[in-house]
Amino acid sequence: MASMATFIVKTPGTPHPIPNTFKPQLPSRLRFVSPLRLPSAATAGAVKGRNPTPRRPGVSCSLIEPDGGRLVDLVAPEGPDREALRREAAGYPQIKLSRIDLEWVHVLSEGWASPLGGFMREAEFLQTLHFNCLRLGDGSVVNMSVPIVLAIDDAQKRAIGDLRRVALVDAQDKPVAILSDIEIYKHNKEERIARTWGTTAPGLPYVEEAITKAGNWLIGGDLEVIERIKYNDGLDQYRLSPVELREEFSRRNADAVFAFQLRNPVHNGHALLMTDTRRRLLEMGYKNPVLLLHPLGGFTKADDVPLYWRMKQHEKVLEDGVLNPETTVVAIFPSPMHYAGPTEVQWHAKSRINAGANFYIVGRDPAGMSHPIEKRDLYDADHGKKVLSMAPGLERLNILPFKVAAYDTKQKKMAFFDPSRPQDFLFISGTKMRTLAKNRENPPDGFMCPGGWKVLVEYYDSKETQEGNKFREAVPA
């Protein structure tokens, strides 16, 4: 992957400091204690069922401020402080982290969830579950729609006792972080699942992977991460932190950043949406809008294309000129995937604010999936974009709904759907695309760049040769 010259290579960045209260050399946790208040006048109409007031973005050359005003950086600086923290961790009770737990440590440590400074305590957990937002000490609201929590079992709870600090370790018992000023509270799994997914039906991928067999307690506290999370999978240089992304956008003199999240290969319909968005921003008066193409890099369900192959496919999309490398930044978003529809898409949008994006492209059924036991989609396909337009704490973010793109059989390319001639358009579903690739069949000309399609076929060929037909993602090292 060293040949991926069009991608952005990570360079050391200077973290944004935030005030400390617990440990002088590291950022401390911010507390959220105020109750949620009623929606502001700007959003009250939407809550009551009226159309929300359209947001009219102004043209500005500065990047959007992160939630809370400053980015959280929870990684210990190199040198004596880091080594002292490593030695200190050896003296505390240990909590072994799962793969998904480590991904959340990664997310928290780099400030994607700013201003959150660690795994949630109960007040933060309840606000997230019931309000999809957190109220800060100054009365302001930031969006937070998915719980970022750490589960422990009865034996771990007894071992911790009245201690206020614990060490978090990886699968090889290597210290990863220290959790301080801890709070342990009940893990009501049914409530968590019902509030996050809107159903408790069996078969939800994240629930089965991370919640069902997890402990009956949650532990929250201030997080101090010993060193940056690495995966050693050949892709670490593309895991740009919010600080590094902001530095790259500034280097390119971006006056607008529009984010596009995906967990699938890029086809020409996606590319059409992204290039058309840039055209629209130029018409609005922006001089240099930059695209953040931001594939999700954490846990995904078994039938999704693994990250390595998606990144390889994205490389070909830029090499073939489908997207302009001069106005595109490709990086990996480290969050695990919930498949929680309108609830989760708020998290996807909020985290991109912290990365510097002031526009967010949202499409049909974002973060959705098929119902696990019924033959239907789990969520209404339009609810994600509607929720984003009125979600508390996302007022500063400009939401750009997808236009519907399909394969135009007359023009033999992906184009925006024209309702006056529906017979000319072919909708190629993800299932259909996967079936074609598995069978080594070519899609219609113009559906995907040839290099990108070749990568997809190679993936399914490799999948067939793997024991148990499984391709495992890399885990943090």
Side-chain angles (χ1 to χ4, degrees):
M1 299 295 288
S3 65
M4 299 170 72
T6 55
F7 283 34
I8 302 305
V9 178
K10 187 179 292 182
T11 56
T14 302
H16 291 248
I18 68 169
N20 291 312
T21 53
F22 291 109
K23 194 161 180 154
Q25 73 272 26
L26 291 171
S28 68
R29 183 173 188 73
L30 302 179
R31 298 176 181 271
F32 311 100
V33 295
S34 301
L36 187 78
R37 297 191 298 208
L38 293 175
S40 67
T43 59
V47 172
K48 293 178 181 178
R50 299 193 296 269
N51 292 329
T53 302
R55 297 172 185 165
R56 300 187 181 275
V59 176
S60 171
C61 292
S62 60
L63 295 176
I64 190 172
E65 279 196 355
D67 279 345
R70 292 184 179 182
L71 284 171
V72 169
D73 179 9
L74 305 180
V75 181
E78 290 189 57
D81 290 335
R82 176 174 293 179
E83 297 313 310
L85 195 65
R86 200 187 308 275
R87 290 192 299 270
E88 187 181 346
Y92 296 128
Q94 295 185 345
I95 297 175
K96 184 167 289 190
L97 301 173
S98 69
R99 170 192 163 188
I100 288 180
D101 294 335
L102 273 168
E103 290 171 354
W104 283 125
V105 170
H106 185 177
V107 166
L108 290 165
S109 69
E110 293 184 344
W112 294 99
S114 291
L116 198 62
F119 285 106
M120 291 177 175
R121 298 182 176 88
E122 187 175 38
E124 298 157 341
F125 174 66
L126 291 176
Q127 288 183 73
T128 299
L129 276 191
H130 294 276
F131 308 137
N132 284 359
C133 63
L134 299 170
R135 185 165 292 284
L136 307 185
D138 64 0
S140 63
V141 166
V142 296
N143 191 271
M144 183 58 68
S145 62
V146 298
I148 303 181
V149 293
L150 181 61
I152 59 173
D153 59 26
D154 293 347
Q156 290 171 314
K157 181 177 183 290
R158 287 193 298 270
I160 294 168
D162 295 329
L163 295 176
R164 304 300 299 154
R165 291 163 75 83
V166 296
L168 309 183
V169 301
D170 64 14
Q172 289 74 44
D173 294 322
K174 177 184 175 183
V176 171
I178 290 177
L179 200 62
S180 306
D181 194 20
I182 61 174
E183 177 185 342
I184 298 175
Y185 55 101
K186 192 69 177 176
H187 186 189
N188 188 331
K189 298 179 185 179
E190 183 177 26
E191 180 186 23
R192 178 183 173 187
I193 295 165
R195 299 290 303 191
T196 303
W197 281 270
T199 180
T200 56
L204 299 169
Y206 186 94
V207 171
E208 293 190 343
E209 183 75 16
I211 299 179
T212 302
K213 297 178 182 178
N216 293 322
W217 304 93
L218 297 175
I219 181 169
D222 303 316
L223 191 64
E224 300 167 291
V225 180
I226 297 171
E227 59 186 344
R228 194 162 183 174
I229 304 299
K230 299 288 186 181
Y231 297 74
N232 297 329
D233 58 353
L235 300 175
D236 281 331
Q237 67 268 38
Y238 308 119
R239 292 183 171 94
L240 302 181
S241 71
V243 167
E244 291 163 335
L245 284 168
R246 285 171 172 270
E247 289 174 347
E248 181 59 29
F249 299 142
S250 295
R251 187 188 70 79
R252 296 190 184 210
N253 295 316
D255 58 353
V257 177
F258 57 108
F260 185 85
Q261 171 174 297
L262 68 170
R263 64 176 196 271
N264 293 305
V266 174
H267 58 64
N268 289 353
H270 296 138
L272 175 65
L273 292 162
M274 289 181 268
T275 54
D276 185 68
T277 297
R278 188 170 196 276
R279 178 192 61 78
R280 291 161 60 195
L281 292 175
L282 290 168
E283 289 178 351
M284 289 166 57
Y286 291 97
K287 302 300 182 185
N288 188 31
V290 171
L291 165 66
L292 172 59
L293 182 61
H294 216 195
L296 185 135
F299 164 80
T300 55
K301 55 190 175 69
D303 62 348
D304 282 347
V305 177
L307 178 64
Y308 168 82
W309 291 96
R310 284 184 278 130
M311 293 299 288
K312 192 173 180 181
Q313 193 266 351
H314 299 346
E315 173 193 4
K316 294 300 182 183
V317 168
L318 270 72
E319 282 184 2
D320 288 358
V322 178
L323 294 173
N324 183 355
E326 296 299 319
T327 58
T328 303
V329 175
V330 182
I332 295 172
F333 177 46
S335 176
M337 187 76 191
H338 282 65
Y339 305 92
T343 297
E344 184 177 15
V345 75
Q346 296 174 65
W347 159 242
H348 293 166
K350 173 251 174 36
S351 57
R352 277 28 180 258
I353 292 176
N354 287 332
N358 54 339
F359 290 87
Y360 187 80
I361 303 174
V362 61
R364 179 190 180 279
D365 196 20
M369 59 172 282
S370 297
H371 195 286
I373 58 176
E374 299 177 15
K375 291 184 177 180
R376 62 178 178 87
D377 288 339
L378 184 55
Y379 305 105
D380 186 289
D382 293 326
H383 281 184
K385 62 185 178 184
K386 290 179 179 179
V387 166
L388 280 185
S389 72
M390 53 188 172
L394 295 181
E395 293 84 2
R396 298 181 298 136
L397 186 65
N398 302 289
I399 306 303
L400 301 171
F402 267 14
K403 294 181 181 179
V404 178
Y407 186 76
D408 188 330
T409 59
K410 293 291 188 183
Q411 300 186 56
K412 297 191 181 303
K413 66 177 185 178
M414 297 298 289
F416 293 123
F417 179 72
D418 182 352
S420 69
R421 50 185 186 95
Q423 70 280 0
D424 295 336
F425 286 87
L426 177 64
F427 289 89
I428 301 176
S429 66
T431 301
K432 175 66 172 176
M433 181 178 68
R434 289 190 292 269
T435 301
L436 289 172
K438 288 176 185 177
N439 295 336
R440 301 181 63 85
E441 299 176 28
N442 290 325
D445 289 342
F447 173 74
M448 184 182 292
C449 65
W453 184 256
K454 183 179 179 182
V455 170
L456 199 57
V457 171
E458 287 175 359
Y459 160 62
Y460 283 108
D461 281 349
S462 72
K463 185 178 170 71
E464 289 300 317
T465 64
Q466 305 237 2
E467 184 178 356
N469 289 337
K470 291 185 71 176
F471 188 99
R472 296 187 62 81
E473 293 269 14
V475 296

